[in-house]
Amino acid sequence: MKVDRVTIREIRMQLREPFEISSGVSHDRRVLLVTLQSGGITAWGECVAGETPAYSYETTDTAWSILTDLILPRVSGSVMESSADLLHVFEGIRGHPMAKAAVEMAAWDLEAKARGGSLASLVGGVRDCVPVGVSIGLQPTDDELHRKVGDYIEEGYARVKIKIKPGRDVGMLRGLCDRFPDVAFMADANSAYSLEDLPCLRELDQLNLIMIEQPLAHDDYLDHARLQGEMETPICLDESIRSVRDAALALELGACRIINIKPGRVGGLSEAKAIHDLCVEHDMPVWCGGMLESGVGRAHNVALASLPGFTLPGDISASKRYWKEDIVTPEFVLNSGVIDVPSGPGIGVEVREDLVDAWSVRQVDF
Ligand code: OSB
Ligand code: MG
């Protein structure tokens, strides 16, 4: 298959409400969409980089620069049978996995559509629906948090992730567990703590959380291993796992007992699959994280989460949890705690090009 045309667009999508984590707050998302066209097929990928370099050093603007200056000119006109044939376009580019993933995932969609099968079956998925939860940002008051949690439980989310930071942790979570004793809660610190906070982390350990996600620095495998040695609650790594080598390091050191896999964070679906396979081999449970994606990124996440090792509910919520209107049809909906895996060709949802055009603020074609 020859790639006839490559397009990158930045679209602005307004979140229904701001999403605050320990390192900052997102209001509107600046989403990059990559389109590959080949023999009448249009394939889609999304870049998950944030607006600021808080979660990762990558941003919408660094990804735009790497993609438009270096990667996309090499993709246009190239011949590929699968995403593996794409590796040469990343040569000489260290890092920037979120920029690379946007193209890599579009190539998977292209291959699946060319073969006429679903992306989920092409990546090795075995499930027709995936268990999902919801991730709730920091709220100004406990009352507000209780109201939100109550609403999401009513909508059918079976597992609820709460963002924490120093000062908004033990008391807040204890109140929540008392109020909703039957709900499976977990906490995500986005690297807001250090081992100096051990007394506080030990208190969190008493709350029977299903896991504590990324308590310590993004590059601190050693202290995560020390902390896991002190804690009953499983530690889950998110920011720390950028590749299968990071996952191998975490396994070797005992730095966590669970891994959050986001294909956009690790350079695409091939690396995500490799991390999944390594974790399955070592009996390490994994789940699929989220980055406030549009329906395009969500479709890729759902396909990945249909692999057998994804035994824990993902941060893959319904379209309407994020957006008034999503850019795919049908939108993703929650069905008693699960989201169905689309079975149509490729990502299995149609992209609403009318909305993409209307919301686009810049575009380059190659
Ligand atoms: O740490 O998992 C995270 C969103 C943006 C950046 C980092 C994270 C998140 C989430 C949201 O928790 C998950 C979702 O997309 O629902
Ligand atoms: Mg996280």
Side-chain angles (χ1 to χ4, degrees), residues 230-294:
E230 301 281 325
M231 305 271 282
E232 296 287 334
T233 310
I235 290 175
C236 169
L237 290 179
D238 172 358
E239 284 91 323
S240 293
I241 308 297
R242 300 150 307 173
S243 65
V244 71
R245 288 181 302 281
D246 288 341
L249 177 63
L251 275 161
E252 179 78 29
L253 289 177
C256 62
R257 295 200 195 122
I258 297 174
I259 286 181
N260 163 339
I261 304 180
K262 298 176 179 173
R265 188 194 65 224
V266 302
L269 287 166
S270 301
E271 195 74 15
K273 234 169 100 66
I275 296 170
H276 161 272
D277 295 351
L278 180 74
C279 289
V280 167
E281 200 182 303
H282 289 86
D283 287 324
M284 167 94 70
V286 302
W287 55 280
C288 183
M291 291 290 290
L292 311 174
E293 288 93 344
S294 80

Side-chain angles (χ1 to χ4, degrees), residues 161 163 188 190 213 238-239 262:
K161 171 166 128 180
K163 294 289 181 177
D188 187 358
N190 290 107
E213 187 177 337
D238 172 358
E239 284 91 323
K262 298 176 179 173

Side-chain angles (χ1 to χ4, degrees), residues 95-112:
H96 299 280
M98 295 177 175
K100 291 171 180 170
V103 181
E104 199 263 4
M105 289 157 88
W108 274 92
D109 185 30
L110 180 59
E111 182 183 352

Side-chain angles (χ1 to χ4, degrees), residues 8 49 83 107 128 153 162 189 241 269 274 283 291 301 318 327 357 363:
I8 181 169
S83 59
D128 56 14
I153 291 167
I162 308 292
I241 308 297
L269 287 166
D283 287 324
M291 291 290 290
N301 290 348
I327 57 168
D357 284 342
Q363 169 172 349

Side-chain angles (χ1 to χ4, degrees), residues 59-78:
T59 67
T60 310
D61 289 314
T62 68
W64 179 273
S65 159
I66 291 284
L67 283 162
T68 57
D69 290 345
L70 298 169
I71 297 178
L72 299 183
R74 299 179 188 169
V75 177
S76 178
S78 67

